[in-house]
Amino acid sequence: MFKTIPFKQSQRLPIQALAKLSAFAISASLFASGCAPQASNNTNTTSTTSTSTTAASPTAAAKTDSPAPSATGGKLRIGFQKSATVLFSLKGKGTLETVFKSTGGTVTWSEFPAGLPMVEALNAGAIDVAYVGEAPPVFAQAAKGSTVRYIAYDPYGVEAEGIVVHKDSPIQTLADLKGKKLAVQKGANAHYLAVKAVESAGLQVSDVEFSFVKPSDGRAAFEKKNVDAWSVWDPYLAAVEVDTGARVLASAKGLAPNRGYYLASKEFIEKNPEALKLFLAELKKESEYAKNNPAEIAKFLSPALGVDAAILEKAEKRRDYGILPLTEEVIAKQQDIADTFAKLKLIPQPIVVKEAVWDGK
């Protein structure tokens, strides 16, 4: 069902806190909310010429070349996954290249298999901006000398992630998970959801047998009934519902926010404020388009992700879009995710999320 996204190997700097987690988190996350599709833990950094996309853009043919560098213009280096809908659509249209060319600037794109290696690259200064789910920024900030900053968030949606059980499963409530085996990717947003779901039922995390697997292996284990439940995000969630008739035991509603985050390096923010403003302005325009055209976005993503357009449309219709500044409420919820991961010893020490939030100035 899901195609492996190829990428080139490139040199990168190790970051201890992230590297420790890469073994289980660099699996195939088809939507950045989660954190991670399948692959290895190497990044793919393109040259200064923007690569072409294999799928047609919803409204325009893909451009294959970035404008020539200019001594006076700003340079923007973007980390992306094909599943990062807004960025991938902008790349296909060549919109950012056009805007930056008008100011004498350049845009380059680096494709990554997952969120964790992307924030590693951001911390290492290999890229300037990126879009990931809730978990990668936590690991990035926990790394020594982190320069990653939150610049905006995407609401994404609580119905776009959930815990599924087999259609004939006797499990009817979250409390019924006691003593059962639950598959989830360790350190992903779905891991946070699973922990909160278990706790909401009055259970201890130790009351449930957690099986830590990447999404592709989680699907296989679920279909073979080697696990009783699976905590996962779209489009994996939509795919297993459509293909197997799996029943959603609980969505993230009331349990987890399931947001996406746009990130930038501290150095880029300080040295390129105008380039950052241009980037955010174009993100807002494309985000609005994606929000209002779920069917077109699904058709656009389908050949690139190797997922049926009908499944992607189901996923698109239950997610939200937006390029929004982080509020105190959003920061507080992200802090709870960080605290949960610290409690689970997934990060080496507690962090204060607010310290990594751009003030917008």
Side-chain angles (χ1 to χ4, degrees):
M1 171 70 65
F2 298 99
K3 293 181 180 178
T4 300
I5 300 173
F7 60 97
K8 299 176 183 176
Q9 293 184 340
S10 66
Q11 190 177 34
R12 62 173 214 185
L13 300 177
I15 297 177
Q16 185 178 4
L18 294 172
K20 183 177 179 182
L21 218 74
S22 291
F24 16 78
I26 302 173
S27 59
S29 153
L30 288 178
F31 275 82
S33 86
C35 155
Q38 143 197 39
S40 80
N41 43 339
N42 291 313
T43 63
N44 168 34
T45 305
T46 64
S47 67
T48 54
T49 298
S50 179
T51 56
S52 62
T53 56
T54 55
S57 167
T59 59
K63 290 192 176 184
T64 58
D65 296 309
S66 296
S70 167
T72 58
K75 181 179 180 182
L76 178 64
R77 301 171 299 167
I78 303 171
F80 78 105
Q81 299 173 71
K82 287 190 176 76
S83 53
T85 308
V86 174
L87 286 178
F88 193 52
S89 185
L90 282 172
K91 184 179 186 296
K93 296 177 181 179
T95 305
L96 286 170
E97 283 85 349
T98 300
V99 171
F100 272 72
K101 184 177 181 179
S102 68
T103 64
T106 62
V107 175
T108 58
W109 299 82
S110 297
E111 184 182 339
F112 292 82
L116 285 176
M118 203 181 319
V119 293
E120 277 192 7
L122 196 58
N123 258 336
I127 57 175
D128 302 312
V129 296
Y131 172 77
V132 296
E134 294 162 325
V138 171
F139 296 109
Q141 189 179 352
K144 186 177 181 180
S146 175
T147 65
V148 170
R149 298 291 182 266
Y150 296 85
I151 57 173
Y153 83 92
D154 174 357
Y156 212 92
V158 293
E159 300 297 335
E161 141 178 274
I163 298 173
V164 292
V165 295
H166 304 103
K167 60 182 178 182
D168 57 352
S169 173
I171 298 173
Q172 297 297 321
T173 68
L174 289 170
D176 294 335
L177 290 173
K178 186 174 183 178
K180 299 297 192 294
K181 185 176 288 188
L182 172 64
V184 65
Q185 180 171 318
K186 192 171 186 177
N189 59 330
H191 190 180
Y192 174 77
L193 166 62
V195 170
K196 290 301 176 181
V198 167
E199 291 177 346
S200 75
L203 304 176
Q204 300 295 317
V205 173
S206 58
D207 290 330
V208 178
E209 183 180 350
F210 279 72
S211 177
F212 296 122
V213 292
K214 61 188 180 183
S216 55
D217 291 339
R219 171 68 182 261
F222 185 80
E223 285 194 16
K224 293 177 182 177
K225 294 192 174 183
N226 292 333
V227 296
D228 302 293
W230 185 25
S231 182
V232 73
W233 56 90
D234 274 333
Y236 291 105
L237 178 61
V240 76
E241 286 182 86
V242 172
D243 295 340
T244 73
R247 174 165 47 88
V248 177
L249 180 66
S251 71
K253 187 175 182 179
L255 298 171
N258 194 33
R259 298 183 177 107
Y261 290 97
Y262 287 94
L263 310 173
S265 69
K266 180 175 180 287
E267 182 180 13
F268 180 76
I269 292 171
E270 292 175 348
K271 293 185 177 181
N272 301 277
E274 294 307 314
L276 182 59
K277 289 177 183 177
L278 281 176
F279 174 63
L280 289 172
E282 293 306 317
L283 281 179
K284 289 178 181 179
K285 294 176 187 176
E286 197 64 26
S287 178
E288 191 65 25
Y289 171 83
K291 181 177 182 178
N292 294 325
N293 296 275
E296 287 301 310
I297 289 295
K299 290 177 184 177
F300 170 51
L301 290 175
S302 179
L305 301 182
V307 182
D308 187 85
I311 290 174
L312 290 175
E313 186 172 352
K314 177 182 177 70
E316 283 293 314
K317 285 182 176 179
R318 63 187 179 194
R319 70 154 293 180
D320 197 3
Y321 284 96
I323 310 298
L324 307 170
L326 275 69
T327 63
E328 291 297 328
E329 179 184 358
V330 171
I331 294 170
K333 198 60 185 179
Q334 189 70 356
Q335 183 64 55
D336 188 61
I337 294 173
D339 292 344
T340 299
F341 284 177
K343 182 180 177 181
L344 295 171
K345 300 188 184 305
L346 293 177
I347 56 177
Q349 70 277 327
I351 60 173
V352 178
V353 171
K354 193 170 185 177
E355 293 178 353
V357 176
W358 176 48
D359 61 10
K361 296 179 182 178

